[in-house]
Amino acid sequence: MVKPKKQSSSDESQQDDGSLGSTLRMREMAYDWLGNRYIKPDQRCLLQLFLTDPYDDRYEIKATKGYKAPGTCQWVLTNGRIMSWLASASPLLWLTGGPGTGKTMLAIFFTDELQQRAEQLNLSALLYFFCDGRNSQRNTATAVLRGLLFSLIEQQPSFLKYLLPVYEDQGSDLFKEPSFGSLWCVFENMVQDESVQTIFCVLDGIDECKEQSLEMLARKLESVSSRFRTKFRLIVFSRELPDHISRTLSLIPHVKVDLESEPDGRSDIRKFITFYAEKTLEGQSYSKETRISLEEILFKRADGNFLWAELAMNELVMNELSRSGTKMTSEQVENWLKNLPTSLEGMYKYMLLQIPAKSQTIVASILRWVVMAVRPLTLAELGAAIDATMGTNSGTNPGKTVTDHLGYCGNILRVSGSKVVLVHQSAKEYLLRRDCDPDTQSEFFRVRADDANAEIARICFNYLSNGSLKAGAVNAVDQGDKPLARLLPFPLLLYSVFHWPEHVRCSSNSMDDIFDLSNPFFEKESSICSSWLATYWSMKKEAHQPFPLLHLASYFGFPLLASKALKKDRNW
């Protein structure tokens, strides 16, 4: 049975409510387990399988990106190859396009369209997953597969019979990256179950997965054509980068999103500009003639790129607001638009060059944290992180303080709910570019991954060492809908607990200062280290005995710590 789509009374197409039912249910199960209450083996299996609910992720994307312009995306339903795929001529279809060309909105449109056609298409299940290079829960092959398996079991509960025996044999290791092959075999068994009629699957943004992980995933996806003839139909949305995606998927049916050469696609970008201009420029009091001229310039310069058009309109509004009540004339508006860079990289550089000199240091720090964070940070977490980085103190409301600073970041960042995210994966790639920029101001904002990971690792480690765990461990799943009182004065606590080891591993810089064995954190019976580990295991939804120091170094991948422990010959 296809997972039902929540309905609300909206205008254009019915919209999701974005129920967090699966997430909350998994949290309740984790609380029972960690509280030593008995939960059944199948519940324990689901609990450890669960990483993120694709249903909730889709809702969040809609909330962040905004709902599509009315009348757009319809062209894909008249495309010959797409129609053949829908009619089961091929089990696999690959749809590609450059950054900002609307691939994710097309993927969402497909999920909505397939949902509406569920009965007509005789669906046993509708699966989808939206990869996100900015979120560790959505940027690996195993994360993709865990999301698909969780969704499939939700819609076909009896399919748990394929997963449970393997889980009972391998335990939680089954859900780690090295066990991707085992998980894929489970997935194959599910989709080939005799009761299955048709399963549609939509995968968006696989190019945002970590590269080594992506190679595994691409090879398995390519095998769909030969292994799943009729029951399973998969459509993949991505860029044609990195190169091995193109090599691996070169022989499967392929549709390119080329809005400049596709008449209906050109109509989409025009509709989007009109739709977005009505919302964004409403308060600018432009005459009808100016608006028409403005939209025409945007259409010509966007070159089929929705993101560029959106950024250009947002920048126009910010430019008008900065003029202290003196509005530009129609001619000035047109000239301003004509002078904007036409590439996304050029737009990102333009936005950074608008940042006032007095704010550049703190904005650079914000960008480093947002770019390198393993998952999106909340306003409160980011505020605490910036306080720790800059040596400032925002008192009881770091989220409010950082919100004020975000205004200087321009449109390169967005606030989605309570989370701070980059406007697009291409912005992350621009900020992480390896080549130096001859312009010293834009070079100042370039993020050097090794240095940034080392900086964040030190800040998170010191955050744990300097008081945030003084009151003991935190049961990370016992939060309900409100943050624990323990977290209010220490908003960065849970992020630091879970992710400081990863930032250490991701940096090739020396971490000699962190792994100083004279630090109380590494004492034989350190209460800080014990509290960190207890909190870490609660976040992992696992239970473990205390670690000796050498075991800890091995488990978390800290060769420097292992070397120091062996030299000291300490039985910690």
Side-chain angles (χ1 to χ4, degrees):
M1 179 181 178
V2 177
K3 186 169 184 177
K5 186 172 77 168
K6 306 283 184 180
Q7 301 295 331
S8 65
S9 55
S10 65
D11 51 345
E12 203 241 344
S13 62
Q14 297 294 322
Q15 300 173 0
D16 297 337
D17 288 338
S19 167
L20 297 177
S22 299
T23 303
L24 295 177
R25 190 171 72 256
M26 292 301 107
R27 183 184 291 161
E28 289 167 3
M29 286 167 55
Y31 180 48
D32 285 345
W33 187 19
L34 294 168
N36 295 317
R37 301 171 189 168
Y38 176 75
I39 66 171
K40 297 176 181 178
D42 57 341
Q43 292 177 314
R44 187 180 299 117
C45 176
L46 280 176
L47 172 63
Q48 295 202 306
L49 167 67
F50 179 79
L51 187 63
T52 182
D53 186 350
Y55 186 74
D56 296 337
D57 296 336
R58 183 180 71 161
Y59 172 78
E60 188 173 330
I61 292 169
K62 283 186 172 183
T64 304
K65 288 182 173 286
Y67 291 85
K68 71 181 186 69
T72 56
C73 299
Q74 298 295 327
W75 65 270
V76 297
L77 299 179
T78 61
N79 179 279
R81 285 187 173 171
I82 293 174
M83 294 303 291
S84 294
W85 174 77
L86 284 168
S88 76
S90 168
L92 180 59
L93 181 66
W94 185 30
L95 194 148
T96 65
T101 53
K103 297 184 299 298
T104 295
M105 295 310 290
L106 281 172
I108 289 174
F109 173 76
F110 258 97
T111 63
D112 289 337
E113 189 69 24
L114 292 169
Q115 187 87 53
Q116 292 168 13
R117 298 185 182 199
E119 187 172 341
Q120 172 192 339
L121 294 167
N122 213 12
L123 288 192
S124 298
L126 170 60
L127 310 178
Y128 45 81
F129 195 91
F130 294 87
C131 302
D132 186 346
R134 299 156 285 182
N135 189 335
S136 64
Q137 294 183 329
R138 290 161 55 191
N139 68 359
T140 67
T142 300
V144 172
L145 200 46
R146 286 171 69 176
L148 297 180
L149 285 167
F150 184 82
S151 295
L152 187 50
I153 292 169
E154 276 209 309
Q155 295 172 62
Q156 298 288 340
S158 67
F159 285 7
L160 185 60
K161 66 186 179 186
Y162 294 107
L163 179 64
L164 197 54
V166 188
Y167 169 74
E168 289 174 341
D169 181 51
Q170 298 188 34
S172 61
D173 287 344
L174 175 62
F175 306 122
K176 296 176 181 177
E177 201 71 13
S179 298
F180 175 77
S182 297
L183 271 185
W184 184 266
C185 288
V186 172
F187 184 68
E188 283 190 341
N189 289 335
M190 288 185 183
V191 300
Q192 295 182 98
D193 185 277
E194 290 182 358
S195 67
V196 168
Q197 294 172 312
T198 308
I199 295 175
F200 274 93
C201 182
V202 179
L203 291 185
D204 176 60
I206 64 165
D207 54 292
E208 296 188 26
C209 287
K210 292 182 178 178
E211 189 158 347
Q212 185 175 357
S213 182
L214 174 58
E215 288 192 51
M216 290 192 303
L217 181 61
R219 286 195 297 269
K220 292 298 185 184
L221 296 180
E222 190 273 336
S223 73
V224 166
S225 294
S226 57
R227 297 187 66 84
F228 308 140
R229 288 291 180 188
T230 56
K231 290 183 175 183
F232 185 73
R233 296 217 281 281
L234 168 67
I235 184 167
V236 177
F237 294 79
S238 77
R239 292 179 292 179
E240 294 184 51
L241 298 171
D243 291 340
H244 63 75
I245 294 186
S246 295
R247 290 195 301 270
T248 305
L249 302 182
S250 61
L251 298 179
I252 67 173
H254 182 196
V255 176
K256 288 191 177 185
V257 179
D258 185 357
L259 298 182
E260 280 301 289
S261 60
E262 178 74 49
D264 289 333
R266 290 176 61 83
S267 173
D268 269 13
I269 190 73
R270 191 179 286 280
K271 287 174 183 175
F272 170 78
I273 289 171
T274 300
F275 174 72
Y276 199 79
E278 286 177 358
K279 294 197 307 179
T280 310
L281 307 178
E282 186 177 4
Q284 300 307 310
S285 303
Y286 294 135
S287 68
K288 182 178 179 179
E289 291 75 15
T290 299
R291 278 281 296 277
I292 292 172
S293 174
L294 181 154
E295 290 176 17
E296 189 60 32
I297 295 170
L298 286 167
F299 175 71
K300 289 178 179 177
R301 291 178 63 79
D303 196 28
N305 195 294
F306 293 93
L307 180 57
W308 185 92
E310 179 183 340
L311 292 174
M313 283 184 269
N314 289 338
E315 285 297 312
L316 175 58
V317 171
M318 289 189 67
N319 184 68
E320 289 283 28
L321 292 175
S322 69
R323 295 175 63 86
S324 304
T326 307
K327 295 188 68 62
M328 289 191 288
T329 65
S330 174
E331 185 178 356
Q332 287 174 323
V333 170
E334 292 174 10
N335 288 333
W336 185 88
L337 283 173
K338 289 176 181 177
N339 288 324
L340 281 179
T342 54
S343 68
L344 288 176
E345 294 79 5
M347 284 293 284
Y348 297 141
K349 180 174 182 177
Y350 169 84
M351 289 187 275
L352 294 175
L353 293 177
Q354 308 311 303
I355 298 169
K358 64 178 182 179
S359 304
Q360 289 175 9
T361 300
I362 198 162
V363 168
S365 180
I366 289 171
L367 291 175
R368 286 197 300 277
W369 273 93
V370 174
V371 167
M372 300 309 304
V374 177
R375 49 110 174 131
L377 298 172
T378 65
L379 284 164
E381 287 174 329
L382 182 58
I386 297 308
D387 276 349
T389 305
M390 306 296 293
T392 54
N393 185 352
S394 300
T396 59
N397 196 352
K400 169 65 170 65
T401 304
V402 82
T403 299
D404 296 338
H405 295 309
L406 289 178
Y408 294 117
C409 297
N411 293 297
I412 205 165
L413 296 181
R414 284 177 173 166
V415 178
S416 173
S418 64
K419 298 174 184 176
V420 183
V421 296
L422 287 159
V423 66
H424 194 264
Q425 174 71 10
S426 57
K428 179 176 180 177
E429 292 166 0
Y430 170 75
L431 289 166
L432 282 170
R433 65 196 183 279
R434 293 183 179 275
D435 295 336
C436 295
D437 194 315
D439 185 289
T440 56
Q441 186 173 339
S442 56
E443 174 65 12
F444 180 74
F445 295 104
R446 184 166 66 90
V447 177
R448 297 155 182 82
D450 270 348
D451 295 342
N453 272 312
E455 177 187 37
I456 293 172
R458 290 187 178 95
I459 288 169
C460 290
F461 180 81
N462 291 334
Y463 198 82
L464 300 177
S465 302
N466 296 334
S468 63
L469 288 172
K470 188 176 182 181
V474 174
N475 185 345
V477 297
D478 184 18
Q479 294 184 63
D481 292 325
K482 297 181 180 179
L484 289 170
R486 277 282 309 280
L487 300 181
L488 291 176
F490 301 108
L492 196 59
L493 173 58
L494 293 186
Y495 184 89
S496 298
V497 163
F498 204 65
H499 294 300
W500 79 266
E502 185 164 352
H503 286 292
V504 169
R505 292 192 298 271
C506 288
S507 177
S508 61
N509 291 14
S510 171
M511 294 292 175
D512 194 67
D513 53 326
I514 287 183
F515 298 122
D516 179 355
L517 297 190
S518 66
N519 190 312
F521 191 94
F522 297 113
E523 290 177 353
K524 185 176 180 181
E525 296 183 0
S526 168
S527 61
I528 300 173
C529 190
S530 296
S531 296
W532 163 58
L533 281 172
T535 306
Y536 180 87
W537 296 132
S538 77
M539 296 177 74
K540 288 274 286 185
K541 299 170 284 194
E542 297 178 12
H544 290 264
Q545 296 298 316
F547 273 4
L549 187 59
L550 197 58
H551 189 175
L552 183 149
S554 175
Y555 181 88
F556 287 100
F558 297 154
L560 179 59
L561 179 60
S563 174
K564 287 191 172 189
L566 287 170
K567 285 180 181 177
K568 293 281 286 188
D569 192 27
R570 295 180 59 179
N571 183 25
W572 184 84

mmCIF file of all heavy atoms in Angstrom, residues 2 37 58 93 148 157 162 175 238 292 332 343 348 360 411 425 504:
data_model
loop_
_atom_site.group_PDB
_atom_site.id
_atom_site.type_symbol
_atom_site.label_atom_id
_atom_site.label_comp_id
_atom_site.label_asym_id
_atom_site.label_seq_id
_atom_site.Cartn_x
_atom_site.Cartn_y
_atom_site.Cartn_z
ATOM 1 N N VAL A 2 0.607 2.165 -0.909
ATOM 2 C CA VAL A 2 1.401 3.381 -1.010
ATOM 3 C C VAL A 2 1.163 4.260 0.205
ATOM 4 O O VAL A 2 0.033 4.442 0.640
ATOM 5 C CB VAL A 2 1.047 4.166 -2.295
ATOM 6 C CG1 VAL A 2 1.819 5.462 -2.351
ATOM 7 C CG2 VAL A 2 1.357 3.319 -3.517
ATOM 8 N N ARG A 37 13.513 -0.777 28.918
ATOM 9 C CA ARG A 37 12.211 -1.390 28.723
ATOM 10 C C ARG A 37 12.307 -2.335 27.535
ATOM 11 O O ARG A 37 13.000 -2.044 26.565
ATOM 12 C CB ARG A 37 11.149 -0.324 28.463
ATOM 13 C CG ARG A 37 11.016 0.681 29.599
ATOM 14 C CD ARG A 37 10.108 1.829 29.202
ATOM 15 N NE ARG A 37 10.146 2.891 30.197
ATOM 16 C CZ ARG A 37 9.636 4.102 30.005
ATOM 17 N NH1 ARG A 37 9.067 4.389 28.847
ATOM 18 N NH2 ARG A 37 9.702 5.010 30.949
ATOM 19 N N ARG A 58 11.164 15.253 2.162
ATOM 20 C CA ARG A 58 10.494 15.894 1.028
ATOM 21 C C ARG A 58 9.713 17.118 1.488
ATOM 22 O O ARG A 58 9.733 18.173 0.830
ATOM 23 C CB ARG A 58 9.567 14.905 0.314
ATOM 24 C CG ARG A 58 8.891 15.512 -0.919
ATOM 25 C CD ARG A 58 7.971 14.536 -1.612
ATOM 26 N NE ARG A 58 6.767 14.262 -0.839
ATOM 27 C CZ ARG A 58 5.655 13.753 -1.348
ATOM 28 N NH1 ARG A 58 5.600 13.449 -2.634
ATOM 29 N NH2 ARG A 58 4.615 13.519 -0.594
ATOM 30 N N LEU A 93 15.507 4.976 -15.689
ATOM 31 C CA LEU A 93 15.610 6.201 -16.486
ATOM 32 C C LEU A 93 16.485 7.179 -15.723
ATOM 33 O O LEU A 93 16.360 7.323 -14.500
ATOM 34 C CB LEU A 93 14.220 6.797 -16.730
ATOM 35 C CG LEU A 93 14.152 8.075 -17.576
ATOM 36 C CD1 LEU A 93 14.593 7.786 -19.007
ATOM 37 C CD2 LEU A 93 12.724 8.633 -17.579
ATOM 38 N N LEU A 148 15.172 3.929 1.708
ATOM 39 C CA LEU A 148 14.267 3.181 0.837
ATOM 40 C C LEU A 148 13.695 1.956 1.549
ATOM 41 O O LEU A 148 12.501 1.654 1.434
ATOM 42 C CB LEU A 148 15.005 2.753 -0.434
ATOM 43 C CG LEU A 148 15.523 3.867 -1.346
ATOM 44 C CD1 LEU A 148 16.235 3.272 -2.561
ATOM 45 C CD2 LEU A 148 14.395 4.795 -1.791
ATOM 46 N N PRO A 157 4.528 -3.945 5.484
ATOM 47 C CA PRO A 157 5.114 -4.406 6.756
ATOM 48 C C PRO A 157 5.598 -5.851 6.726
ATOM 49 O O PRO A 157 6.562 -6.201 7.419
ATOM 50 C CB PRO A 157 3.965 -4.223 7.752
ATOM 51 C CG PRO A 157 3.125 -3.143 7.165
ATOM 52 C CD PRO A 157 3.193 -3.344 5.684
ATOM 53 N N TYR A 162 12.327 -10.198 5.357
ATOM 54 C CA TYR A 162 13.575 -10.302 4.603
ATOM 55 C C TYR A 162 14.746 -9.659 5.346
ATOM 56 O O TYR A 162 15.897 -10.066 5.164
ATOM 57 C CB TYR A 162 13.431 -9.629 3.234
ATOM 58 C CG TYR A 162 12.458 -10.324 2.316
ATOM 59 C CD1 TYR A 162 11.210 -9.769 2.028
ATOM 60 C CD2 TYR A 162 12.778 -11.547 1.732
ATOM 61 C CE1 TYR A 162 10.311 -10.401 1.180
ATOM 62 C CE2 TYR A 162 11.889 -12.195 0.882
ATOM 63 C CZ TYR A 162 10.660 -11.625 0.623
ATOM 64 O OH TYR A 162 9.773 -12.259 -0.215
ATOM 65 N N PHE A 175 23.799 -1.932 9.268
ATOM 66 C CA PHE A 175 23.380 -0.612 8.796
ATOM 67 C C PHE A 175 24.550 0.356 8.638
ATOM 68 O O PHE A 175 24.343 1.557 8.515
ATOM 69 C CB PHE A 175 22.319 -0.050 9.744
ATOM 70 C CG PHE A 175 21.150 -0.987 9.933
ATOM 71 C CD1 PHE A 175 20.796 -1.442 11.188
ATOM 72 C CD2 PHE A 175 20.445 -1.440 8.835
ATOM 73 C CE1 PHE A 175 19.732 -2.323 11.354
ATOM 74 C CE2 PHE A 175 19.386 -2.325 8.981
ATOM 75 C CZ PHE A 175 19.030 -2.770 10.246
ATOM 76 N N SER A 238 20.116 13.656 -11.410
ATOM 77 C CA SER A 238 21.451 14.055 -10.955
ATOM 78 C C SER A 238 22.108 14.936 -12.005
ATOM 79 O O SER A 238 21.613 15.090 -13.118
ATOM 80 C CB SER A 238 22.330 12.827 -10.692
ATOM 81 O OG SER A 238 22.814 12.272 -11.906
ATOM 82 N N ILE A 292 7.471 44.260 -16.372
ATOM 83 C CA ILE A 292 7.537 43.480 -17.617
ATOM 84 C C ILE A 292 8.960 43.483 -18.167
ATOM 85 O O ILE A 292 9.504 42.449 -18.573
ATOM 86 C CB ILE A 292 6.541 44.033 -18.654
ATOM 87 C CG1 ILE A 292 5.096 43.770 -18.185
ATOM 88 C CG2 ILE A 292 6.790 43.407 -20.021
ATOM 89 C CD1 ILE A 292 4.051 44.439 -19.044
ATOM 90 N N GLN A 332 17.704 52.460 -14.054
ATOM 91 C CA GLN A 332 18.739 51.983 -13.141
ATOM 92 C C GLN A 332 18.541 50.501 -12.799
ATOM 93 O O GLN A 332 19.511 49.747 -12.715
ATOM 94 C CB GLN A 332 18.738 52.831 -11.869
ATOM 95 C CG GLN A 332 19.301 54.227 -12.051
ATOM 96 C CD GLN A 332 19.136 55.075 -10.798
ATOM 97 O OE1 GLN A 332 18.126 54.983 -10.087
ATOM 98 N NE2 GLN A 332 20.129 55.906 -10.530
ATOM 99 N N SER A 343 26.771 33.601 -14.268
ATOM 100 C CA SER A 343 26.988 32.242 -13.754
ATOM 101 C C SER A 343 26.646 32.193 -12.271
ATOM 102 O O SER A 343 26.656 33.223 -11.572
ATOM 103 C CB SER A 343 28.445 31.815 -13.948
ATOM 104 O OG SER A 343 29.300 32.591 -13.109
ATOM 105 N N TYR A 348 27.648 34.008 -6.591
ATOM 106 C CA TYR A 348 28.116 33.779 -5.215
ATOM 107 C C TYR A 348 29.237 34.756 -4.869
ATOM 108 O O TYR A 348 29.272 35.325 -3.766
ATOM 109 C CB TYR A 348 28.600 32.336 -5.052
ATOM 110 C CG TYR A 348 27.518 31.297 -5.249
ATOM 111 C CD1 TYR A 348 27.785 30.104 -5.924
ATOM 112 C CD2 TYR A 348 26.217 31.498 -4.779
ATOM 113 C CE1 TYR A 348 26.796 29.148 -6.116
ATOM 114 C CE2 TYR A 348 25.224 30.545 -4.966
ATOM 115 C CZ TYR A 348 25.515 29.381 -5.642
ATOM 116 O OH TYR A 348 24.541 28.443 -5.833
ATOM 117 N N GLN A 360 33.043 40.927 7.850
ATOM 118 C CA GLN A 360 33.610 39.842 7.056
ATOM 119 C C GLN A 360 34.161 38.702 7.909
ATOM 120 O O GLN A 360 33.999 37.520 7.563
ATOM 121 C CB GLN A 360 34.689 40.386 6.126
ATOM 122 C CG GLN A 360 34.113 41.217 4.982
ATOM 123 C CD GLN A 360 35.176 41.852 4.116
ATOM 124 O OE1 GLN A 360 36.368 41.558 4.256
ATOM 125 N NE2 GLN A 360 34.765 42.732 3.214
ATOM 126 N N ASN A 411 22.162 36.233 0.330
ATOM 127 C CA ASN A 411 21.285 35.128 -0.074
ATOM 128 C C ASN A 411 22.015 33.808 -0.238
ATOM 129 O O ASN A 411 21.439 32.846 -0.741
ATOM 130 C CB ASN A 411 20.587 35.500 -1.384
ATOM 131 C CG ASN A 411 19.620 36.660 -1.187
ATOM 132 O OD1 ASN A 411 18.660 36.543 -0.454
ATOM 133 N ND2 ASN A 411 19.912 37.792 -1.816
ATOM 134 N N GLN A 425 23.649 23.211 -3.151
ATOM 135 C CA GLN A 425 24.891 22.440 -3.120
ATOM 136 C C GLN A 425 25.992 23.137 -3.908
ATOM 137 O O GLN A 425 27.174 23.070 -3.548
ATOM 138 C CB GLN A 425 24.639 21.037 -3.690
ATOM 139 C CG GLN A 425 25.869 20.172 -3.863
ATOM 140 C CD GLN A 425 26.470 19.703 -2.559
ATOM 141 O OE1 GLN A 425 25.869 19.875 -1.493
ATOM 142 N NE2 GLN A 425 27.659 19.107 -2.616
ATOM 143 N N VAL A 504 37.704 15.366 13.448
ATOM 144 C CA VAL A 504 39.109 14.983 13.621
ATOM 145 C C VAL A 504 39.553 14.111 12.459
ATOM 146 O O VAL A 504 40.603 14.345 11.838
ATOM 147 C CB VAL A 504 39.303 14.234 14.960
ATOM 148 C CG1 VAL A 504 40.699 13.592 15.004
ATOM 149 C CG2 VAL A 504 39.125 15.173 16.144
#
